[in-house]
Amino acid sequence: MLMRLLALVFNRFPVRWQRRFMTVAHQRFLVGVTGLGVDLDGRVLLARHRFGGPQWRFLGGFIRRGERVEDALKREIREETGLVIEVGPILEVGTGFRWARVELVFAFRVAGGTEALTAEVAELAWFPTDALPDVRADQRGLIERNLERARAWATG
């Protein structure tokens, strides 16, 4: 009964005020995109970033307000590596364990561009899945769970 009464009151406010109420009442999350890049030989693209831990990890970053998630991944990878990519299906959606974020993980394949190291990326390399370097544990699990799906899309 109380929820119905609250809904009636809430719905009487203009939409702009409803949004403000919802913003104040809910936690805020960053939304990130990352990608499992696979080539025609089934190798995985990984980077060692200049910031953060020394392990190899996926490329990606955070979306900007109003940006499509696929476009955010394309932008981040182009900014970090000079590569142009084609974005495939979403493989997983997860939440951060250290801070409030939602992360969408896509399959992708390189479609062009010129590989370059940047202020963000110290090393970039393709690795066969049976010879992966020191990869962050959560991303190693992601590779194990999603490699076949990403490979099928990348080579299809």
Side-chain angles (χ1 to χ4, degrees):
M1 182 68 175
L2 178 61
M3 290 305 284
R4 287 183 184 192
L5 180 61
L6 286 173
L8 287 172
V9 171
F10 180 82
N11 289 334
R12 294 217 181 257
F13 284 94
V15 171
R16 70 178 187 276
W17 282 98
Q18 291 175 10
R19 286 191 197 117
R20 288 182 184 164
F21 293 146
M22 296 301 284
T23 298
V24 169
H26 289 84
Q27 291 185 17
R28 297 212 176 199
F29 287 83
L30 291 170
V31 179
V33 290
T34 190
L36 174 53
V38 180
D39 69 4
L40 294 177
D41 296 323
R43 298 177 304 164
V44 175
L45 181 62
L46 297 171
R48 279 193 352 103
H49 292 76
R50 296 183 194 280
F51 302 98
Q55 300 96 345
W56 290 81
R57 57 186 193 257
F58 297 151
L59 296 161
F62 294 107
I63 67 168
R64 296 176 178 161
R65 184 181 301 270
E67 186 175 39
R68 290 181 58 240
V69 292
E70 295 90 344
D71 293 339
L73 183 60
K74 289 177 182 180
R75 175 186 49 78
E76 284 289 344
I77 291 178
R78 188 180 60 253
E79 289 173 359
E80 293 178 2
T81 68
L83 297 173
V84 175
I85 64 161
E86 181 182 350
V87 179
I90 292 178
L91 301 173
E92 285 191 19
V93 176
T95 57
F97 58 91
R98 290 194 177 145
W99 37 291
R101 79 171 190 275
V102 174
E103 190 166 76
L104 293 90
V105 182
F106 289 89
F108 76 87
R109 60 183 164 217
V110 174
T114 302
E115 186 178 304
L117 299 180
T118 63
E120 293 183 55
V121 174
E123 292 181 74
L124 186 66
W126 291 94
F127 295 94
T129 55
D130 61 353
L132 291 175
D134 181 22
V135 179
R136 260 183 25 192
D138 61 321
Q139 292 188 355
R140 182 176 293 275
L142 200 145
I143 293 168
E144 292 168 358
R145 290 188 302 275
N146 294 289
L147 180 64
E148 290 310 315
R149 187 168 165 218
R151 182 181 287 157
W153 173 81
T155 59

